[in-house]
Amino acid sequence: MRTPLVIDTDPGIDDALAVLLALASPEVDLQLVTTVHGNVGLAQTTENALRVLHLAGRSDVPVAVGARTSLVFPQPERAGHVHGAAGLGGVVLPPSPAAVDPRPAVVALAELLLASEQPVTVAAIGPLTNIALLLGVYPEAAARIGRLVVMGGSATRGGNVTAAAEFNVWADPEAAAAVFGAGLPTVLVGLDVTLPTVLTAAGIARFAAAGPVGAQAAAVLQQYVDHARSSYGVEGVVVHDALALTEAIVPGTLTAVRRDVVVDTGHGAGRGQTLVDRRTTSSSATAVAVAEDVDSEAAVEFLVSRLCGLAERT
């Protein structure tokens, strides 16, 4: 039986690949996409989500608009220098014929959770503002989440937007603190497992050659490739969000250990840092399953082969 899936996202180059990966995977049934501020502004993340779904022939998947800004303090800056000003690496995908869902994201998500006969997996691959709002406004719906797979944070690798903080958590630390402390069945897919998982030019070329959808996905990735080469001297890209979706699609892909996690919500150099207590495993009700090990080669092959399949079918 296919697992009902919701993706909460701020597309974003790697977010776009993650959505395509979900659509390429028969294990899950993508029932809703909710958008949030993050890599670019909310209006653009929403438009990007609609266009990515349309690219894959799935304009039927509803897109509901979420939080425009962080819970307490505005996000200091976007990530246009990485993803392009419009979020998809300068590639202009065809517009979608679909309109956004008239319901606010939190309402759409709550109604889906309360109505579902099966446990729903929620993949949160942007700032956690929408999930924190769900906890505050519809706690009875949040309690019905089967699994919450979060792309964010870091236990041992430091940050990628500051020395301490990973981007998604840094964009709304107060929301992340609320979510990680809520006792939801959460898997945290952070930089510890995403950074070693690199999609190379050879992998990109495989799905680029598989069909028009693959070619467009490869084109969207090009700015990411250029950024990685110029900034880090790496020939390939880390597709953070696609790895989180891989864990959402195939639970247990990543080796995770239950840990206590605290988010720094202060205003010093550590703001947005995920402080993971790695001294021991935790039996606390609020412990989070922190992903600590990955078979990077297998994860990249999973992504590439699924995108090839989607490109061939679409």
Side-chain angles (χ1 to χ4, degrees), residues 79-118:
H81 63 291
V82 176
H83 298 270
L88 294 180
V91 174
V92 180
L93 297 178
S96 172
V100 296
D101 193 297
R103 301 168 296 174
V106 174
V107 174
L109 178 54
E111 290 182 353
L112 187 154
L113 289 166
L114 292 171
S116 180
E117 296 181 357
Q118 294 175 251

Side-chain angles (χ1 to χ4, degrees), residues 184-275:
L184 298 176
T186 302
V187 181
L188 185 60
V189 181
L191 301 182
D192 309 275
V193 290
T194 65
L195 288 177
T197 306
V198 178
L199 172 62
T200 65
I204 296 169
R206 280 174 57 194
F207 59 75
V213 171
Q216 287 280 44
V220 168
L221 267 174
Q222 187 57 53
Q223 176 157 326
Y224 229 28
V225 173
D226 294 341
H227 175 74
R229 183 184 299 116
S230 62
S231 298
Y232 309 114
V234 174
E235 290 296 328
V237 292
V238 176
V239 282
H240 305 278
D241 296 334
L243 186 60
L245 259 294
T246 300
E247 173 62 29
I249 294 161
V250 184
T253 294
L254 305 175
T255 301
V257 182
R258 287 183 62 81
R259 307 286 194 191
D260 292 319
V261 180
V262 175
V263 179
D264 186 338
T265 57
H267 294 279
R271 180 168 174 79
Q273 182 179 9
T274 46
L275 301 165

Side-chain angles (χ1 to χ4, degrees), residues 30-206:
L30 182 58
Q31 297 189 353
L32 174 68
V33 172
T34 53
T35 60
V36 67
H37 69 97
N39 287 317
V40 289
L42 180 66
Q44 192 65 59
T45 65
T46 302
E47 183 62 28
N48 291 349
L50 288 165
R51 291 185 182 223
V52 170
L53 290 167
H54 179 51
L55 173 67
R58 290 300 308 277
S59 297
D60 58 299
V61 177
V63 174
V65 183
R68 187 175 302 278
T69 189
S70 310
L71 286 183
V72 182
F73 300 99
Q75 182 181 334
E77 61 183 272
R78 304 294 180 196
H81 63 291
V82 176
H83 298 270
L88 294 180
V91 174
V92 180
L93 297 178
S96 172
V100 296
D101 193 297
R103 301 168 296 174
V106 174
V107 174
L109 178 54
E111 290 182 353
L112 187 154
L113 289 166
L114 292 171
S116 180
E117 296 181 357
Q118 294 175 251
V120 176
T121 294
V122 177
I125 55 176
L128 288 167
T129 316
N130 287 339
I131 310 303
L133 290 170
L134 179 76
L135 283 163
V137 181
Y138 296 104
E140 71 284 3
R144 290 177 59 88
I145 293 175
R147 291 177 83 226
L148 175 65
V149 181
V150 174
M151 191 282 120
S154 170
T156 64
R157 291 270 190 155
N160 63 352
V161 67
T162 71
E166 178 277 328
F167 179 85
N168 285 343
V169 175
W170 169 86
D172 195 345
E174 286 76 16
V179 172
F180 297 157
L184 298 176
T186 302
V187 181
L188 185 60
V189 181
L191 301 182
D192 309 275
V193 290
T194 65
L195 288 177
T197 306
V198 178
L199 172 62
T200 65
I204 296 169
R206 280 174 57 194

